[in-house]
Amino acid sequence: MSKFNSQLPKIMLKMNKVKYGKGLKLVGWPFIFRFSQASLEIGEDCAINSNFLSNLIGLYQRTIIIARDKGTVRIGSHVGISGSTLYARELIEVGDYSVIGANCKIFDNDFHSLNPEERKADIYDHLVTRPVKIGKNVFIGCNCIILKGTVIGDNCIIGAGSVVHGTFESGSVIAGNPAKVIKKTGGQIQEGNVEL
Ligand SMILES: CC(C)(COP(=O)(O)OP(=O)(O)OC[C@H]1O[C@@H](n2cnc3c(N)ncnc32)[C@H](O)[C@@H]1OP(=O)(O)O)[C@@H](O)C(=O)NCCC(=O)NCCS
């Protein structure tokens, strides 16, 4: 890839008024998009993978990060994301040093109305949104789905292939579908940025 082509994704971010800190490393071309009333921020020294082999787990998709409506996506510093989707209509926060493994989906809304009549009529006016907060130094295994309203405390680990909904204390190891706490992490728990 020429130097100009490798800079193109960052030029697109600037044109779209996505804020990002120094040291952003993009491997492949992510789709990162901020709607006009939304806000999208990426901290310093983050790495975002979007090529099939940019993570040798094998990525099924590019990374997609969307801040829609009046929503906010706030990604801290030193965060790694591999071939995953983050889609916010209200709020998705990811704390510093968290890693989002290959092929994850993180949503703060359900995309379709939960009311059968509205859904049939393609009405999207009353979509339910609930903020998703992922603390610092959280390790999210590959192929996880994190659903609206989920709050994950600092230093948690989410097992591969988990479907996560709920509030989880710092230092929990969470796995399964629906994901449950299977144990506590051995590491020292630091002061958190997520209030539980
Ligand atoms: C969650 C994880 C870290 C736990 O590892 P561990 O602490 O060594 O735990 P163990 O392997 O001893 O498993 C403990 C228990 O949790 C269960 N478990 C572990 N991972 C699980 C998962 N992803 N889903 C459901 N259950 C799981 C095990 O079956 C075991 O149950 P048991 O005690 O009834 O036998 C690990 O299994 C995992 O999922 N790693 C993520 C790997 C990954 O995706 N890397 C990123 C790639 S991009």
Side-chain angles (χ1 to χ4, degrees):
M1 202 190 277
S2 74
K3 198 166 178 202
F4 179 67
N5 277 348
S6 69
Q7 287 304 311
L8 264 179
K10 288 189 180 173
I11 293 169
M12 302 282 283
L13 293 186
K14 285 200 171 119
M15 286 170 61
N16 187 223
K17 296 190 177 131
V18 170
K19 292 183 192 154
Y20 62 89
K22 67 175 173 56
L24 175 62
K25 188 177 167 217
L26 301 177
V27 182
W29 196 319
F31 185 71
I32 300 177
F33 191 78
R34 180 192 69 85
F35 280 68
S36 60
Q37 293 188 291
S39 152
L40 207 162
E41 294 168 26
I42 301 169
E44 297 186 351
D45 296 314
C46 290
I48 298 179
N49 290 327
S50 296
N51 277 350
F52 176 55
L53 291 178
S54 54
N55 174 327
L56 292 177
I57 299 290
L59 304 186
Y60 303 151
Q61 61 160 85
R62 299 175 186 190
T63 290
I64 300 173
I65 305 175
I66 307 288
R68 187 163 181 175
D69 302 336
K70 293 180 179 167
T72 298
V73 175
R74 197 176 298 124
I75 295 169
S77 295
H78 307 278
V79 170
I81 304 176
S82 277
S84 292
T85 299
L86 286 74
Y87 197 120
R89 289 175 187 267
E90 185 178 348
L91 175 67
I92 296 177
E93 275 180 354
V94 181
D96 298 344
Y97 293 97
S98 288
V99 284
I100 301 176
N103 312 312
C104 292
K105 310 277 180 195
I106 303 175
F107 309 138
D108 72 352
N109 71 97
D110 297 310
F111 296 87
H112 296 276
S113 174
L114 303 185
N115 174 303
E117 293 310 318
E118 286 188 353
R119 195 163 61 248
K120 218 164 42 177
D122 266 345
I123 295 171
Y124 294 89
D125 298 346
H126 307 113
L127 286 186
V128 178
T129 65
R130 289 192 211 121
V132 171
K133 296 185 182 181
I134 296 167
K136 292 180 185 167
N137 194 30
V138 173
F139 166 25
I140 302 178
C142 61
N143 297 78
C144 288
I145 301 175
I146 297 185
L147 296 166
K148 68 178 187 301
T150 296
V151 179
I152 299 169
D154 297 344
N155 300 309
C156 284
I157 297 172
I158 317 289
S162 298
V163 179
V164 186
H165 178 265
T167 296
F168 299 91
E169 281 182 4
S170 296
S172 306
V173 181
I174 304 150
N177 177 10
K180 306 272 183 222
V181 176
I182 56 172
K183 56 177 154 178
K184 302 297 272 184
T185 55
Q188 199 187 352
I189 310 300
Q190 296 159 8
E191 279 300 303
N193 67 339
V194 173
E195 308 235 332
L196 294 174

